[in-house]
Amino acid sequence: LIPAASLQRAQPSTYSETMPVQNRKPQWMGKSIALSRCTVSLLLACGFPSIMIHLCDFLAQNYDEERDLFVYDMFAGKQSISRGFRAHGCKTDFLEFSERPEDDLLTVQGLCRATLGVLRLVVEGLAFAGLPCGSFVYLNRSSSKRSRKRPLGSQRRLYVKQANTLGARLMMLMLLTTLRSAFWETEQPGSSLFIWFPYLRFLARLFKHEVPIRVERFWMAWFGSRTPKPSLVVGTSPWAGKLYRKLGKEDSCGELQASVKYLSAHSIQQGGKKAKAPFQWKHADLEPVRKFLQEQIDLGKYEPAFPFK
C-alpha cells in the first residue's frame, strides 16, 4: 500500500544521529498542501473516510499554504516539543486548546486546524501528540470501565465518549500523516490503555512491517519531571528509542527495562479489497464535518473534486 520511495524514507539509516536536520531541505518542502491522486487512492484503499478527503480538498482550495512545517505539535501544553525543534532552526506549529479555544479537536474548526497542520508537514516531518490521558490511565479505570478487552470503556460517560472521539480523530490524522511520508508519535503515561485502542490497532495491522508502529517506554524523570514517571510513546519515528535511559538508585527505586514492542497483529490482506476501519470511524463523529462541507458547497466556497455524499 505504500510507494517504494516512502518505504526507503522510513528506514532509520536515512537519519543522522542528531535531530532535527535543519541543513537538509526535504524534496517536497514548499509544495502545495493539496493531496495528489496517488495519495487519495492510497487513503481510500486504507479505509480513510471519504469525507475527510473532501475536508483536505476544501482546505487546499481555501488556504494558500505550503508544506513548510518540520513539526506539528498537537495537545502541545507548554510546547516543549515545538520549542526544542525551533531551537535548532526548524519551523513548527502547535494545537493547544488552553491557549487558543479554536484549537479544540472536538469541534469542526479544531479538526480543520489540525488537518491543515498535518497537510503542511514536510516529508520526514513529525506530528507529535500528547493525547489527554485522563480516561486511559489505571487510576481512572473504575470510572471509565476501560480494559484490554474493553478499550473503549463506558460510552455512557461523556468524558469517555469525548476521549474516544479525540483518539479516533487523532488516529485518522496519523493515517494521513503516514501516507504523506511523515512520521508521528503520541505520548502517554506508562499505565495507559491507549495502546489497546482499536483505531491504533487498526493502523498497526494496516502497515505492519512496511511502516511499523513501535511502543517505546522511558522515564520522564530524564526530561524534567520531578518524579520518575514511567511513560511511553507510540508511533513510527525511528529515533524514539533514544528516549530510554536507565535510572540509578540515586534517581529511583527500581529500573524500567528497555522495551521496544511492535503493535503486531494479523496482517490485512495486501491488494484487492479495501481495508475496513473499526466501527467505520463511528467514534470520530464526522457528521458535523459533513454538514459543514455541505454549507460551504451551498455558499460556493467549495467545489468537490469528486461526488460529495
Side-chain angles (χ1 to χ4, degrees):
L1 293 177
I2 307 298
S6 298
L7 296 182
Q8 293 174 359
R9 289 181 175 276
Q11 299 300 320
S13 59
T14 64
Y15 266 70
S16 61
E17 284 298 313
T18 58
M19 284 290 294
V21 282
Q22 68 272 25
N23 294 324
R24 294 164 52 197
K25 184 176 181 180
Q27 66 180 53
W28 289 355
M29 187 173 182
K31 297 295 183 65
S32 169
I33 62 172
L35 297 177
S36 67
R37 291 185 179 182
C38 177
T39 303
V40 170
S41 298
L42 285 170
L43 286 168
L44 290 173
C46 291
F48 193 73
S50 60
I51 193 66
M52 285 299 296
I53 295 179
H54 279 293
L55 182 61
C56 293
D57 191 26
F58 165 77
L59 294 172
Q61 291 183 23
N62 288 274
Y63 291 87
D64 186 20
E65 299 285 356
E66 297 181 340
R67 299 189 69 171
D68 57 353
L69 293 181
F70 278 87
V71 175
Y72 187 56
D73 191 3
M74 292 179 275
F75 310 104
K78 296 183 179 180
Q79 303 178 44
S80 298
I81 299 297
S82 298
R83 285 188 284 108
F85 278 85
R86 283 199 300 270
H88 288 270
C90 295
K91 186 173 182 178
T92 70
D93 199 359
F94 68 94
L95 184 88
E96 176 50 49
F97 171 69
S98 64
E99 292 198 20
R100 299 186 301 212
E102 62 270 24
D103 282 354
D104 185 359
L105 192 56
L106 291 172
T107 65
V108 173
Q109 184 180 17
L111 182 58
C112 287
R113 292 177 65 86
T115 305
L116 182 61
V118 168
L119 291 173
R120 290 177 60 195
L121 282 171
V122 299
V123 173
E124 297 184 350
L126 174 67
F128 192 91
L131 181 69
C133 61
S135 72
F136 291 99
V137 295
Y138 77 95
L139 286 173
N140 194 256
R141 289 178 193 174
S142 62
S143 176
S144 67
K145 307 301 181 184
R146 293 191 193 273
S147 65
R148 290 188 179 186
K149 293 184 178 180
R150 195 186 178 191
L152 292 172
S154 175
Q155 297 293 304
R156 295 180 180 180
R157 297 185 180 274
L158 178 60
Y159 80 97
V160 175
K161 184 178 180 180
Q162 290 178 336
N164 289 337
T165 299
L166 287 176
R169 289 185 174 185
L170 178 62
M171 291 298 99
M172 196 167 53
L173 293 172
M174 295 318 185
L175 174 55
L176 176 61
T177 300
T178 302
L179 292 181
R180 296 277 284 181
S181 298
F183 297 122
W184 61 269
E185 294 287 343
T186 181
E187 183 268 333
Q188 289 283 285
S191 67
S192 174
L193 287 172
F194 184 69
I195 58 176
W196 299 95
F197 198 61
Y199 295 97
L200 174 59
R201 291 274 161 174
F202 167 68
L203 263 62
R205 292 194 304 269
L206 187 63
F207 299 118
K208 202 175 181 182
H209 302 300
E210 288 81 2
V211 187
I213 296 177
R214 303 173 176 86
V215 180
E216 308 275 5
R217 297 183 180 273
F218 64 97
W219 291 104
M220 194 64 79
W222 281 107
F223 303 96
S225 174
R226 296 180 180 179
T227 61
K229 193 182 179 183
S231 304
L232 61 85
V233 287
V234 185
T236 60
S237 66
W239 46 265
K242 296 180 181 180
L243 292 172
Y244 174 75
R245 302 177 193 174
K246 291 183 179 180
L247 286 182
K249 292 182 179 180
E250 67 279 7
D251 302 309
S252 170
C253 53
E255 174 184 316
L256 180 67
Q257 296 296 325
S259 174
V260 180
K261 296 182 179 179
Y262 293 85
L263 290 181
S264 60
H266 295 294
S267 176
I268 289 179
Q269 183 178 358
Q270 301 291 312
K273 295 182 179 180
K274 172 183 173 182
K276 293 183 179 179
F279 311 104
Q280 297 182 336
W281 297 103
K282 178 183 73 172
H283 298 91
D285 189 21
L286 297 177
E287 185 58 31
V289 179
R290 188 182 307 277
K291 292 180 180 179
F292 167 75
L293 289 174
Q294 186 61 60
E295 291 175 359
Q296 301 307 306
I297 292 174
D298 295 341
L299 292 172
K301 295 183 178 180
Y302 173 47
E303 297 180 4
F306 60 95
F308 182 82
K309 298 181 180 179

PDB file of all heavy atoms in Angstrom, residues 153-184:
ATOM      1  N   GLY A 153     -14.231   1.563  26.822  1.00  0.00           N
ATOM      2  CA  GLY A 153     -14.804   1.933  28.100  1.00  0.00           C
ATOM      3  C   GLY A 153     -16.311   2.136  28.063  1.00  0.00           C
ATOM      4  O   GLY A 153     -17.008   1.658  27.165  1.00  0.00           O
ATOM      5  N   SER A 154     -16.812   2.880  29.037  1.00  0.00           N
ATOM      6  CA  SER A 154     -18.245   3.138  29.173  1.00  0.00           C
ATOM      7  C   SER A 154     -18.645   4.337  28.321  1.00  0.00           C
ATOM      8  O   SER A 154     -18.288   5.479  28.624  1.00  0.00           O
ATOM      9  CB  SER A 154     -18.596   3.409  30.648  1.00  0.00           C
ATOM     10  OG  SER A 154     -19.949   3.776  30.765  1.00  0.00           O
ATOM     11  N   GLN A 155     -19.406   4.082  27.268  1.00  0.00           N
ATOM     12  CA  GLN A 155     -19.833   5.151  26.368  1.00  0.00           C
ATOM     13  C   GLN A 155     -20.904   6.045  26.995  1.00  0.00           C
ATOM     14  O   GLN A 155     -21.248   7.084  26.447  1.00  0.00           O
ATOM     15  CB  GLN A 155     -20.372   4.534  25.077  1.00  0.00           C
ATOM     16  CG  GLN A 155     -19.344   3.747  24.279  1.00  0.00           C
ATOM     17  CD  GLN A 155     -18.257   4.638  23.712  1.00  0.00           C
ATOM     18  OE1 GLN A 155     -18.523   5.597  23.001  1.00  0.00           O
ATOM     19  NE2 GLN A 155     -17.012   4.336  24.047  1.00  0.00           N
ATOM     20  N   ARG A 156     -21.420   5.644  28.150  1.00  0.00           N
ATOM     21  CA  ARG A 156     -22.442   6.454  28.801  1.00  0.00           C
ATOM     22  C   ARG A 156     -21.848   7.680  29.484  1.00  0.00           C
ATOM     23  O   ARG A 156     -22.571   8.634  29.780  1.00  0.00           O
ATOM     24  CB  ARG A 156     -23.191   5.609  29.831  1.00  0.00           C
ATOM     25  CG  ARG A 156     -23.986   4.456  29.220  1.00  0.00           C
ATOM     26  CD  ARG A 156     -24.702   3.670  30.289  1.00  0.00           C
ATOM     27  NE  ARG A 156     -25.465   2.555  29.720  1.00  0.00           N
ATOM     28  CZ  ARG A 156     -26.183   1.701  30.442  1.00  0.00           C
ATOM     29  NH1 ARG A 156     -26.227   1.836  31.769  1.00  0.00           N
ATOM     30  NH2 ARG A 156     -26.833   0.728  29.854  1.00  0.00           N
ATOM     31  N   ARG A 157     -20.570   7.631  29.755  1.00  0.00           N
ATOM     32  CA  ARG A 157     -19.908   8.769  30.406  1.00  0.00           C
ATOM     33  C   ARG A 157     -19.384   9.726  29.337  1.00  0.00           C
ATOM     34  O   ARG A 157     -18.637   9.333  28.445  1.00  0.00           O
ATOM     35  CB  ARG A 157     -18.777   8.280  31.305  1.00  0.00           C
ATOM     36  CG  ARG A 157     -19.284   7.407  32.455  1.00  0.00           C
ATOM     37  CD  ARG A 157     -18.161   7.045  33.396  1.00  0.00           C
ATOM     38  NE  ARG A 157     -18.626   6.220  34.498  1.00  0.00           N
ATOM     39  CZ  ARG A 157     -19.144   6.683  35.623  1.00  0.00           C
ATOM     40  NH1 ARG A 157     -19.270   7.998  35.788  1.00  0.00           N
ATOM     41  NH2 ARG A 157     -19.542   5.861  36.578  1.00  0.00           N
ATOM     42  N   LEU A 158     -19.760  10.996  29.466  1.00  0.00           N
ATOM     43  CA  LEU A 158     -19.432  11.977  28.433  1.00  0.00           C
ATOM     44  C   LEU A 158     -17.929  12.110  28.241  1.00  0.00           C
ATOM     45  O   LEU A 158     -17.447  12.162  27.099  1.00  0.00           O
ATOM     46  CB  LEU A 158     -20.040  13.333  28.799  1.00  0.00           C
ATOM     47  CG  LEU A 158     -19.741  14.477  27.818  1.00  0.00           C
ATOM     48  CD1 LEU A 158     -20.271  14.159  26.432  1.00  0.00           C
ATOM     49  CD2 LEU A 158     -20.335  15.787  28.332  1.00  0.00           C
ATOM     50  N   TYR A 159     -17.153  12.151  29.322  1.00  0.00           N
ATOM     51  CA  TYR A 159     -15.711  12.372  29.173  1.00  0.00           C
ATOM     52  C   TYR A 159     -15.035  11.189  28.489  1.00  0.00           C
ATOM     53  O   TYR A 159     -14.039  11.357  27.773  1.00  0.00           O
ATOM     54  CB  TYR A 159     -15.063  12.669  30.531  1.00  0.00           C
ATOM     55  CG  TYR A 159     -14.778  11.473  31.408  1.00  0.00           C
ATOM     56  CD1 TYR A 159     -13.521  10.888  31.432  1.00  0.00           C
ATOM     57  CD2 TYR A 159     -15.777  10.927  32.216  1.00  0.00           C
ATOM     58  CE1 TYR A 159     -13.260   9.786  32.245  1.00  0.00           C
ATOM     59  CE2 TYR A 159     -15.528   9.844  33.028  1.00  0.00           C
ATOM     60  CZ  TYR A 159     -14.263   9.271  33.037  1.00  0.00           C
ATOM     61  OH  TYR A 159     -13.999   8.182  33.835  1.00  0.00           O
ATOM     62  N   VAL A 160     -15.578   9.975  28.689  1.00  0.00           N
ATOM     63  CA  VAL A 160     -15.036   8.798  27.998  1.00  0.00           C
ATOM     64  C   VAL A 160     -15.378   8.868  26.514  1.00  0.00           C
ATOM     65  O   VAL A 160     -14.534   8.596  25.654  1.00  0.00           O
ATOM     66  CB  VAL A 160     -15.584   7.499  28.620  1.00  0.00           C
ATOM     67  CG1 VAL A 160     -15.121   6.281  27.817  1.00  0.00           C
ATOM     68  CG2 VAL A 160     -15.143   7.376  30.073  1.00  0.00           C
ATOM     69  N   LYS A 161     -16.602   9.244  26.214  1.00  0.00           N
ATOM     70  CA  LYS A 161     -17.029   9.385  24.817  1.00  0.00           C
ATOM     71  C   LYS A 161     -16.194  10.442  24.101  1.00  0.00           C
ATOM     72  O   LYS A 161     -15.771  10.246  22.946  1.00  0.00           O
ATOM     73  CB  LYS A 161     -18.513   9.762  24.771  1.00  0.00           C
ATOM     74  CG  LYS A 161     -19.092   9.835  23.378  1.00  0.00           C
ATOM     75  CD  LYS A 161     -20.581  10.156  23.429  1.00  0.00           C
ATOM     76  CE  LYS A 161     -21.164  10.230  22.021  1.00  0.00           C
ATOM     77  NZ  LYS A 161     -22.624  10.540  22.050  1.00  0.00           N
ATOM     78  N   GLN A 162     -15.935  11.567  24.773  1.00  0.00           N
ATOM     79  CA  GLN A 162     -15.119  12.620  24.164  1.00  0.00           C
ATOM     80  C   GLN A 162     -13.678  12.166  23.965  1.00  0.00           C
ATOM     81  O   GLN A 162     -13.057  12.481  22.948  1.00  0.00           O
ATOM     82  CB  GLN A 162     -15.167  13.871  25.036  1.00  0.00           C
ATOM     83  CG  GLN A 162     -16.516  14.573  25.030  1.00  0.00           C
ATOM     84  CD  GLN A 162     -16.545  15.786  25.940  1.00  0.00           C
ATOM     85  OE1 GLN A 162     -15.766  15.894  26.889  1.00  0.00           O
ATOM     86  NE2 GLN A 162     -17.457  16.711  25.663  1.00  0.00           N
ATOM     87  N   ALA A 163     -13.142  11.406  24.924  1.00  0.00           N
ATOM     88  CA  ALA A 163     -11.780  10.881  24.791  1.00  0.00           C
ATOM     89  C   ALA A 163     -11.687   9.924  23.610  1.00  0.00           C
ATOM     90  O   ALA A 163     -10.676   9.914  22.876  1.00  0.00           O
ATOM     91  CB  ALA A 163     -11.352  10.180  26.075  1.00  0.00           C
ATOM     92  N   ASN A 164     -12.718   9.118  23.397  1.00  0.00           N
ATOM     93  CA  ASN A 164     -12.734   8.211  22.255  1.00  0.00           C
ATOM     94  C   ASN A 164     -12.790   8.979  20.940  1.00  0.00           C
ATOM     95  O   ASN A 164     -12.159   8.586  19.952  1.00  0.00           O
ATOM     96  CB  ASN A 164     -13.925   7.255  22.348  1.00  0.00           C
ATOM     97  CG  ASN A 164     -13.763   6.233  23.457  1.00  0.00           C
ATOM     98  OD1 ASN A 164     -12.643   5.936  23.892  1.00  0.00           O
ATOM     99  ND2 ASN A 164     -14.868   5.685  23.928  1.00  0.00           N
ATOM    100  N   THR A 165     -13.547  10.086  20.931  1.00  0.00           N
ATOM    101  CA  THR A 165     -13.610  10.919  19.731  1.00  0.00           C
ATOM    102  C   THR A 165     -12.244  11.538  19.441  1.00  0.00           C
ATOM    103  O   THR A 165     -11.776  11.541  18.295  1.00  0.00           O
ATOM    104  CB  THR A 165     -14.665  12.031  19.895  1.00  0.00           C
ATOM    105  OG1 THR A 165     -15.947  11.445  20.097  1.00  0.00           O
ATOM    106  CG2 THR A 165     -14.718  12.919  18.659  1.00  0.00           C
ATOM    107  N   LEU A 166     -11.580  12.041  20.483  1.00  0.00           N
ATOM    108  CA  LEU A 166     -10.239  12.602  20.304  1.00  0.00           C
ATOM    109  C   LEU A 166      -9.276  11.541  19.774  1.00  0.00           C
ATOM    110  O   LEU A 166      -8.485  11.793  18.855  1.00  0.00           O
ATOM    111  CB  LEU A 166      -9.721  13.163  21.627  1.00  0.00           C
ATOM    112  CG  LEU A 166     -10.340  14.466  22.136  1.00  0.00           C
ATOM    113  CD1 LEU A 166      -9.765  14.820  23.509  1.00  0.00           C
ATOM    114  CD2 LEU A 166     -10.087  15.608  21.159  1.00  0.00           C
ATOM    115  N   GLY A 167      -9.319  10.343  20.375  1.00  0.00           N
ATOM    116  CA  GLY A 167      -8.419   9.275  19.962  1.00  0.00           C
ATOM    117  C   GLY A 167      -8.664   8.836  18.537  1.00  0.00           C
ATOM    118  O   GLY A 167      -7.709   8.627  17.763  1.00  0.00           O
ATOM    119  N   ALA A 168      -9.937   8.694  18.146  1.00  0.00           N
ATOM    120  CA  ALA A 168     -10.260   8.266  16.783  1.00  0.00           C
ATOM    121  C   ALA A 168      -9.849   9.332  15.769  1.00  0.00           C
ATOM    122  O   ALA A 168      -9.282   9.017  14.711  1.00  0.00           O
ATOM    123  CB  ALA A 168     -11.765   7.979  16.669  1.00  0.00           C
ATOM    124  N   ARG A 169     -10.119  10.600  16.084  1.00  0.00           N
ATOM    125  CA  ARG A 169      -9.722  11.671  15.163  1.00  0.00           C
ATOM    126  C   ARG A 169      -8.206  11.777  15.061  1.00  0.00           C
ATOM    127  O   ARG A 169      -7.660  12.034  13.981  1.00  0.00           O
ATOM    128  CB  ARG A 169     -10.328  13.000  15.625  1.00  0.00           C
ATOM    129  CG  ARG A 169     -11.827  13.083  15.415  1.00  0.00           C
ATOM    130  CD  ARG A 169     -12.401  14.451  15.754  1.00  0.00           C
ATOM    131  NE  ARG A 169     -13.813  14.541  15.400  1.00  0.00           N
ATOM    132  CZ  ARG A 169     -14.549  15.638  15.484  1.00  0.00           C
ATOM    133  NH1 ARG A 169     -14.002  16.766  15.938  1.00  0.00           N
ATOM    134  NH2 ARG A 169     -15.830  15.624  15.122  1.00  0.00           N
ATOM    135  N   LEU A 170      -7.523  11.561  16.182  1.00  0.00           N
ATOM    136  CA  LEU A 170      -6.068  11.621  16.159  1.00  0.00           C
ATOM    137  C   LEU A 170      -5.501  10.507  15.278  1.00  0.00           C
ATOM    138  O   LEU A 170      -4.607  10.746  14.465  1.00  0.00           O
ATOM    139  CB  LEU A 170      -5.514  11.503  17.579  1.00  0.00           C
ATOM    140  CG  LEU A 170      -3.989  11.506  17.690  1.00  0.00           C
ATOM    141  CD1 LEU A 170      -3.419  12.829  17.180  1.00  0.00           C
ATOM    142  CD2 LEU A 170      -3.554  11.269  19.129  1.00  0.00           C
ATOM    143  N   MET A 171      -6.011   9.283  15.417  1.00  0.00           N
ATOM    144  CA  MET A 171      -5.516   8.180  14.602  1.00  0.00           C
ATOM    145  C   MET A 171      -5.827   8.391  13.125  1.00  0.00           C
ATOM    146  O   MET A 171      -5.055   7.990  12.245  1.00  0.00           O
ATOM    147  CB  MET A 171      -6.103   6.863  15.091  1.00  0.00           C
ATOM    148  CG  MET A 171      -5.585   6.420  16.443  1.00  0.00           C
ATOM    149  SD  MET A 171      -3.769   6.133  16.439  1.00  0.00           S
ATOM    150  CE  MET A 171      -3.158   7.683  17.147  1.00  0.00           C
ATOM    151  N   MET A 172      -6.940   9.047  12.845  1.00  0.00           N
ATOM    152  CA  MET A 172      -7.279   9.400  11.468  1.00  0.00           C
ATOM    153  C   MET A 172      -6.234  10.354  10.887  1.00  0.00           C
ATOM    154  O   MET A 172      -5.767  10.186   9.753  1.00  0.00           O
ATOM    155  CB  MET A 172      -8.660  10.045  11.475  1.00  0.00           C
ATOM    156  CG  MET A 172      -9.355  10.133  10.161  1.00  0.00           C
ATOM    157  SD  MET A 172     -11.101  10.562  10.421  1.00  0.00           S
ATOM    158  CE  MET A 172     -10.949  12.046  11.436  1.00  0.00           C
ATOM    159  N   LEU A 173      -5.829  11.331  11.704  1.00  0.00           N
ATOM    160  CA  LEU A 173      -4.804  12.281  11.275  1.00  0.00           C
ATOM    161  C   LEU A 173      -3.445  11.608  11.131  1.00  0.00           C
ATOM    162  O   LEU A 173      -2.648  11.961  10.254  1.00  0.00           O
ATOM    163  CB  LEU A 173      -4.719  13.442  12.270  1.00  0.00           C
ATOM    164  CG  LEU A 173      -5.942  14.365  12.330  1.00  0.00           C
ATOM    165  CD1 LEU A 173      -5.821  15.347  13.488  1.00  0.00           C
ATOM    166  CD2 LEU A 173      -6.117  15.116  11.016  1.00  0.00           C
ATOM    167  N   MET A 174      -3.163  10.620  11.986  1.00  0.00           N
ATOM    168  CA  MET A 174      -1.880   9.923  11.894  1.00  0.00           C
ATOM    169  C   MET A 174      -1.820   9.023  10.663  1.00  0.00           C
ATOM    170  O   MET A 174      -0.743   8.813  10.091  1.00  0.00           O
ATOM    171  CB  MET A 174      -1.633   9.106  13.156  1.00  0.00           C
ATOM    172  CG  MET A 174      -1.478   9.955  14.419  1.00  0.00           C
ATOM    173  SD  MET A 174      -0.474  11.448  14.173  1.00  0.00           S
ATOM    174  CE  MET A 174      -0.381  12.091  15.848  1.00  0.00           C
ATOM    175  N   LEU A 175      -2.954   8.489  10.243  1.00  0.00           N
ATOM    176  CA  LEU A 175      -3.003   7.743   8.985  1.00  0.00           C
ATOM    177  C   LEU A 175      -2.690   8.672   7.824  1.00  0.00           C
ATOM    178  O   LEU A 175      -1.914   8.322   6.913  1.00  0.00           O
ATOM    179  CB  LEU A 175      -4.390   7.110   8.819  1.00  0.00           C
ATOM    180  CG  LEU A 175      -4.684   6.408   7.489  1.00  0.00           C
ATOM    181  CD1 LEU A 175      -3.637   5.337   7.177  1.00  0.00           C
ATOM    182  CD2 LEU A 175      -6.078   5.800   7.504  1.00  0.00           C
ATOM    183  N   LEU A 176      -3.264   9.868   7.850  1.00  0.00           N
ATOM    184  CA  LEU A 176      -2.967  10.866   6.829  1.00  0.00           C
ATOM    185  C   LEU A 176      -1.486  11.242   6.864  1.00  0.00           C
ATOM    186  O   LEU A 176      -0.839  11.367   5.816  1.00  0.00           O
ATOM    187  CB  LEU A 176      -3.836  12.105   7.053  1.00  0.00           C
ATOM    188  CG  LEU A 176      -3.599  13.301   6.132  1.00  0.00           C
ATOM    189  CD1 LEU A 176      -3.865  12.938   4.680  1.00  0.00           C
ATOM    190  CD2 LEU A 176      -4.474  14.486   6.550  1.00  0.00           C
ATOM    191  N   THR A 177      -0.942  11.405   8.060  1.00  0.00           N
ATOM    192  CA  THR A 177       0.481  11.739   8.207  1.00  0.00           C
ATOM    193  C   THR A 177       1.362  10.678   7.573  1.00  0.00           C
ATOM    194  O   THR A 177       2.330  10.989   6.852  1.00  0.00           O
ATOM    195  CB  THR A 177       0.839  11.874   9.707  1.00  0.00           C
ATOM    196  OG1 THR A 177       0.049  12.898  10.291  1.00  0.00           O
ATOM    197  CG2 THR A 177       2.310  12.210   9.885  1.00  0.00           C
ATOM    198  N   THR A 178       1.059   9.410   7.818  1.00  0.00           N
ATOM    199  CA  THR A 178       1.861   8.309   7.275  1.00  0.00           C
ATOM    200  C   THR A 178       1.872   8.326   5.755  1.00  0.00           C
ATOM    201  O   THR A 178       2.922   8.174   5.120  1.00  0.00           O
ATOM    202  CB  THR A 178       1.322   6.957   7.777  1.00  0.00           C
ATOM    203  OG1 THR A 178       1.344   6.941   9.211  1.00  0.00           O
ATOM    204  CG2 THR A 178       2.166   5.802   7.259  1.00  0.00           C
ATOM    205  N   LEU A 179       0.706   8.519   5.158  1.00  0.00           N
ATOM    206  CA  LEU A 179       0.618   8.494   3.698  1.00  0.00           C
ATOM    207  C   LEU A 179       1.094   9.797   3.066  1.00  0.00           C
ATOM    208  O   LEU A 179       1.157   9.897   1.840  1.00  0.00           O
ATOM    209  CB  LEU A 179      -0.815   8.183   3.271  1.00  0.00           C
ATOM    210  CG  LEU A 179      -1.271   6.760   3.608  1.00  0.00           C
ATOM    211  CD1 LEU A 179      -2.685   6.510   3.133  1.00  0.00           C
ATOM    212  CD2 LEU A 179      -0.332   5.730   3.009  1.00  0.00           C
ATOM    213  N   ARG A 180       1.450  10.772   3.886  1.00  0.00           N
ATOM    214  CA  ARG A 180       2.126  11.983   3.394  1.00  0.00           C
ATOM    215  C   ARG A 180       3.628  11.875   3.614  1.00  0.00           C
ATOM    216  O   ARG A 180       4.361  12.853   3.535  1.00  0.00           O
ATOM    217  CB  ARG A 180       1.571  13.216   4.120  1.00  0.00           C
ATOM    218  CG  ARG A 180       0.099  13.488   3.840  1.00  0.00           C
ATOM    219  CD  ARG A 180      -0.125  14.251   2.570  1.00  0.00           C
ATOM    220  NE  ARG A 180       0.200  15.673   2.733  1.00  0.00           N
ATOM    221  CZ  ARG A 180       0.085  16.585   1.779  1.00  0.00           C
ATOM    222  NH1 ARG A 180      -0.321  16.221   0.578  1.00  0.00           N
ATOM    223  NH2 ARG A 180       0.375  17.841   2.003  1.00  0.00           N
ATOM    224  N   SER A 181       4.101  10.666   3.919  1.00  0.00           N
ATOM    225  CA  SER A 181       5.533  10.375   4.084  1.00  0.00           C
ATOM    226  C   SER A 181       6.158  11.148   5.243  1.00  0.00           C
ATOM    227  O   SER A 181       7.299  11.605   5.155  1.00  0.00           O
ATOM    228  CB  SER A 181       6.301  10.666   2.784  1.00  0.00           C
ATOM    229  OG  SER A 181       5.826   9.840   1.746  1.00  0.00           O
ATOM    230  N   ALA A 182       5.398  11.310   6.324  1.00  0.00           N
ATOM    231  CA  ALA A 182       5.926  11.940   7.540  1.00  0.00           C
ATOM    232  C   ALA A 182       5.798  10.952   8.697  1.00  0.00           C
ATOM    233  O   ALA A 182       5.113   9.923   8.591  1.00  0.00           O
ATOM    234  CB  ALA A 182       5.173  13.230   7.853  1.00  0.00           C
ATOM    235  N   PHE A 183       6.477  11.243   9.802  1.00  0.00           N
ATOM    236  CA  PHE A 183       6.442  10.393  10.982  1.00  0.00           C
ATOM    237  C   PHE A 183       5.467  10.958  12.010  1.00  0.00           C
ATOM    238  O   PHE A 183       5.118  12.143  11.965  1.00  0.00           O
ATOM    239  CB  PHE A 183       7.840  10.294  11.612  1.00  0.00           C
ATOM    240  CG  PHE A 183       8.860   9.662  10.712  1.00  0.00           C
ATOM    241  CD1 PHE A 183      10.017  10.364  10.362  1.00  0.00           C
ATOM    242  CD2 PHE A 183       8.688   8.387  10.223  1.00  0.00           C
ATOM    243  CE1 PHE A 183      10.963   9.787   9.541  1.00  0.00           C
ATOM    244  CE2 PHE A 183       9.633   7.793   9.398  1.00  0.00           C
ATOM    245  CZ  PHE A 183      10.773   8.504   9.053  1.00  0.00           C
ATOM    246  N   TRP A 184       5.068  10.116  12.969  1.00  0.00           N
ATOM    247  CA  TRP A 184       4.195  10.585  14.042  1.00  0.00           C
ATOM    248  C   TRP A 184       4.499   9.844  15.324  1.00  0.00           C
ATOM    249  O   TRP A 184       4.995   8.710  15.318  1.00  0.00           O
ATOM    250  CB  TRP A 184       2.726  10.438  13.670  1.00  0.00           C
ATOM    251  CG  TRP A 184       2.244   9.048  13.386  1.00  0.00           C
ATOM    252  CD1 TRP A 184       2.218   8.417  12.177  1.00  0.00           C
ATOM    253  CD2 TRP A 184       1.712   8.105  14.339  1.00  0.00           C
ATOM    254  NE1 TRP A 184       1.708   7.146  12.307  1.00  0.00           N
ATOM    255  CE2 TRP A 184       1.383   6.927  13.625  1.00  0.00           C
ATOM    256  CE3 TRP A 184       1.482   8.152  15.714  1.00  0.00           C
ATOM    257  CZ2 TRP A 184       0.833   5.805  14.244  1.00  0.00           C
ATOM    258  CZ3 TRP A 184       0.934   7.035  16.340  1.00  0.00           C
ATOM    259  CH2 TRP A 184       0.626   5.880  15.603  1.00  0.00           C
TER     260      TRP A 184
END
